């Protein structure tokens, strides 16, 4: 997986590295560091002058076969639910149905520790932990970015050695890396992964944020603001002097997903989807709610939840009284939320053109996004025609009556 570059060895095939940091955590000489590439993604770099060639970094990688990377064959459990948290305040503040909090609250109540992704002071994303209910609030809500792991895996191992319960929430690749590092499935470790579309470049995100508020300091970010409901949520950013709020479906930044313009390369061929999930529980949006659970949907937040293990089932049973739920079919999740089973293919011609323009530094960032993600003249005309038709429909109905 590695290639030589000066005194460092670096990843040669970027599609086979999710940046999980298992190799960093296991290195006995601490000679591996995570370094950002030209797209802003973190990759391991080995200082070859300090390396003793023990190969632990290679063996721990979740991109090599292992019982802790692949779902055990004897584990047949796969129970699917549509559900939401009965606590309406937590449900509203969550991206979907507030499922993370109901599990996290339980672990905290039992004296455990919860790990998750949180914004740092610059509104990049890092993995950290909480030991109180108040500390859990920073983990709530979606964050479509690669989180810096730091010493997370080492800390998880320390807490488990102390006999404490640990809830680790993250992407499937991060959980696979954690289990490879631990080399066991500790009874006190509970892992919840998300139905993930992919991780955006931290560099591009910060560029976008600065383009919106060049002369202001950002105070708060909500990627999935339910002010317009779960189904049609908005991105809301509060700055020192103004507020930016726009429906996700209209936002130019999110339009990049359909082309993979600034997703991590490994996200195009993710091996930690489908039925190969080594987590105990998977949670995500319950799209297709009109068929799956129409009686439960009120646009306040509804989650799909898939239980993969007996540990996951025991955790679910412990909080079931705090949920409204119904058992559903896994086939419906796969149909209506296809990110559960497949990766998003990149449009390489567009991706290459975007990054070429980005590295030239010849235009403001807003212009760069508009050039590569803005509506074409044809799309603008079609959009205008649709608006005109929508305005005329009530008049046409009156004339017919």
């Amino acid at each position: 997986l590695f290639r030589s570059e000066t005194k460092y060895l670096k990843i040669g095939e970027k599609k086979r590295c999710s940046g999980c940091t298992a190799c960093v955590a296991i290195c006995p000489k601490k000679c591996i560091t995570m370094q950002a590439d030209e797209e802003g993604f973190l990759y391991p770099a080995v200082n070859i002058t300090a390396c003793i060639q023990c190969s632990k970094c290679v063996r721990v990688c979740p991109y090599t076969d292992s019982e802790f990377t692949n779902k055990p064959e004897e584990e047949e459990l796969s129970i699917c639910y549509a559900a939401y948290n009965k606590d309406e305040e937590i449900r509203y503040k969550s991206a979907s149905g507030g499922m993370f909090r109901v599990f996290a609250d339980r672990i905290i109540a039992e004296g455990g520790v919860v790990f998750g992704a949180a914004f740092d002071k610059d509104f990049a994303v890092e993995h950290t932990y909480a030991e109180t209910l108040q500390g859990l609030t920073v983990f709530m809500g979606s964050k479509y970015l690669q989180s810096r792991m730091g010493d997370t895996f080492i800390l998880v191992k320390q807490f488990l050695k102390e006999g404490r319960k640990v809830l680790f929430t993250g992407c499937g690749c991060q959980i696979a890396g954690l289990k490879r590092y631990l080399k066991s499935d500790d009874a006190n470790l509970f892992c919840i992964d998300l139905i993930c579309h992919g991780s955006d470049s931290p560099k591009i995100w910060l560029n976008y944020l600065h383009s919106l508020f060049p002369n202001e300091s950002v105070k708060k970010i909500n990627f999935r603001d339910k002010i317009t409901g779960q189904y049609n949520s908005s991105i809301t950013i509060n700055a020192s002097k103004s507020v930016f709020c726009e429906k996700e479906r209209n936002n130019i930044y999110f339009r990049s997903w359909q082309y993979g313009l600034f997703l991590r390369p490994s996200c195009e061929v993710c091996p930690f989807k489908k039925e190969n999930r080594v987590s105990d529980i998977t949670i995500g949006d319950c799209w297709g709610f009109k068929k799956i659970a129409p009686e439960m949907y009120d646009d306040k937040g509804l989650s799909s939840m898939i239980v993969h293990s007996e540990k996951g089932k025991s955790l679910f049973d412990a909080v079931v009284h705090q949920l409204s739920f119904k058992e559903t079919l896994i086939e419906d999740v796969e149909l209506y939320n296809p990110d559960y089973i497949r990766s998003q293919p990149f449009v390489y011609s567009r991706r290459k053109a975007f990054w070429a323009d980005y590295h030239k530094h010849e235009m403001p960032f807003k212009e760069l996004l508009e050039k590569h993600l803005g509506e074409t003249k044809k799309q603008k005309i079609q959009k205008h025609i649709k608006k005109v038709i929508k305005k005329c429909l009530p008049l046409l109905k009156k004339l017919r009556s």
Side-chain angles (χ1 to χ4, degrees):
L1 288 179
F2 293 93
R3 60 180 172 81
S4 178
E5 186 175 303
T6 63
K7 72 171 184 175
Y8 287 98
L9 287 177
K10 295 188 177 182
I11 290 291
E13 192 179 347
K14 290 184 176 179
K15 285 189 176 182
R16 289 177 57 79
C17 177
S18 64
C20 74
T21 72
C23 56
V24 178
I26 206 167
C27 179
K29 302 301 289 184
K30 303 302 176 190
C31 63
I32 305 178
T33 55
M34 298 298 288
Q35 297 180 9
D37 71 350
E38 66 280 359
E39 294 183 355
F41 295 109
L42 296 175
Y43 291 93
V46 184
N47 184 333
I48 57 178
T49 60
C51 177
I52 59 174
Q53 299 182 30
C54 65
S55 297
K56 287 185 177 181
C57 58
V58 177
R59 291 195 297 270
V60 79
C61 179
Y63 282 82
T64 57
D65 289 334
S66 164
E67 61 181 305
F68 304 119
T69 299
N70 301 310
K71 185 176 180 180
E73 290 183 7
E74 67 274 11
E75 184 59 86
E76 298 293 335
L77 194 63
S78 187
I79 309 171
C80 187
Y81 301 95
Y84 62 78
N85 194 322
K86 289 180 180 179
D87 187 316
E88 287 297 315
E89 183 179 357
I90 288 177
R91 185 185 176 202
Y92 179 77
K93 291 179 179 179
S94 303
S96 300
M99 298 304 300
F100 158 73
R101 274 302 301 267
V102 76
F103 296 125
D105 287 3
R106 179 72 185 188
I107 296 297
I108 295 294
E110 295 179 359
V113 186
V114 177
F115 284 81
F119 286 116
D120 64 14
K121 62 181 179 61
D122 298 316
F123 289 96
V125 179
E126 62 181 355
H127 245 73
T128 183
Y129 68 91
E131 300 178 83
T132 65
L133 293 177
Q134 293 78 10
L136 296 175
T137 57
V138 297
F139 301 143
M140 295 173 67
S142 296
K143 301 170 186 73
Y144 303 120
L145 302 163
Q146 175 116 57
S147 58
R148 300 190 313 275
M149 298 301 290
D151 294 330
T152 293
F153 288 2
I154 296 171
L155 291 170
V156 169
K157 189 173 185 176
Q158 288 176 355
F159 284 125
L160 291 173
K161 280 186 175 180
E162 294 170 6
R164 299 179 68 179
K165 288 188 176 182
V166 174
L167 173 62
F168 181 92
T169 59
C171 296
C173 55
Q174 293 170 326
I175 292 172
L178 173 63
K179 289 195 171 183
R180 285 299 293 269
Y181 167 71
L182 295 174
K183 298 181 183 179
S184 66
D185 192 9
D186 194 291
N188 281 334
L189 175 65
F190 299 84
C191 294
I192 296 179
D193 74 324
L194 312 170
I195 299 179
C196 173
H197 185 85
S199 296
D200 284 334
S201 163
K203 177 187 287 188
I204 296 300
W205 162 246
L206 293 178
N207 285 160
Y208 176 66
L209 206 56
H210 181 71
S211 72
L212 291 178
F213 304 100
N215 301 310
E216 296 183 56
S217 56
V218 175
K219 301 297 183 183
K220 184 180 178 182
I221 295 173
N222 188 343
F223 274 121
R224 296 282 301 279
D225 194 337
K226 291 180 184 174
I227 191 171
T228 48
Q230 177 192 4
Y231 182 69
N232 198 19
S233 59
S234 300
I235 174 172
T236 300
I237 305 173
N238 297 77
S240 53
K241 299 177 183 176
S242 60
V243 176
F244 174 84
C245 184
E246 186 173 50
K247 290 182 179 179
E248 266 192 12
R249 63 181 60 184
N250 298 330
N251 184 262
I252 195 168
Y253 177 86
F254 291 115
R255 206 175 295 161
S256 67
W257 287 352
Q258 60 186 308
Y259 310 115
L261 252 59
F262 29 84
L263 289 178
R264 188 180 181 98
S266 61
C267 294
E268 188 190 23
V269 286
C270 178
F272 310 109
K273 289 179 179 279
K274 300 183 179 178
E275 292 306 308
N276 185 39
R277 292 180 179 267
V278 292
S279 61
D280 299 299
I281 295 173
T282 297
I283 55 177
D285 290 295
C286 185
W287 302 135
F289 52 84
K290 289 181 180 179
K291 180 183 184 298
I292 297 173
E295 73 279 14
M296 296 182 67
Y297 190 79
D298 54 10
D299 212 21
K300 294 180 181 179
L302 184 63
S303 298
S304 283
M305 176 178 60
I306 304 94
V307 178
H308 303 293
S309 69
E310 290 298 337
K311 274 199 300 181
K313 184 64 166 59
S314 68
L315 185 58
F316 172 77
D317 289 341
V319 302
V320 71
H321 61 285
Q322 297 174 255
L323 303 174
S324 290
F325 69 97
K326 67 173 284 190
E327 191 167 342
T328 58
L329 300 175
I330 187 65
E331 290 79 10
D332 285 334
V333 176
E334 295 173 354
L335 176 63
Y336 294 108
N337 198 341
D339 286 336
Y340 180 76
I341 57 172
R342 65 153 174 80
S343 302
Q344 174 67 38
F346 293 177
V347 180
Y348 278 97
S349 58
R350 298 188 70 139
R351 197 178 196 279
K352 184 178 179 181
F354 170 83
W355 283 106
D357 279 348
Y358 178 84
H359 291 303
K360 287 177 184 177
H361 305 289
E362 292 179 351
M363 65 183 77
F365 190 74
K366 280 187 176 180
E367 289 183 21
L368 180 69
L369 288 186
E370 189 60 39
K371 176 181 177 180
H372 292 277
L373 294 169
E375 294 178 329
T376 64
K377 188 175 181 180
K378 182 179 178 181
Q379 288 172 328
K380 288 178 181 178
I381 292 172
Q382 289 174 337
K383 190 174 181 180
H384 178 70
I385 291 172
K386 286 180 180 179
K387 283 185 178 180
V388 172
I389 292 172
K390 191 175 181 179
K391 285 182 179 180
C392 292
L393 278 176
L395 179 60
L396 289 172
K397 286 180 180 179
K398 281 185 179 181
L399 290 172
R400 284 178 181 175
S401 61

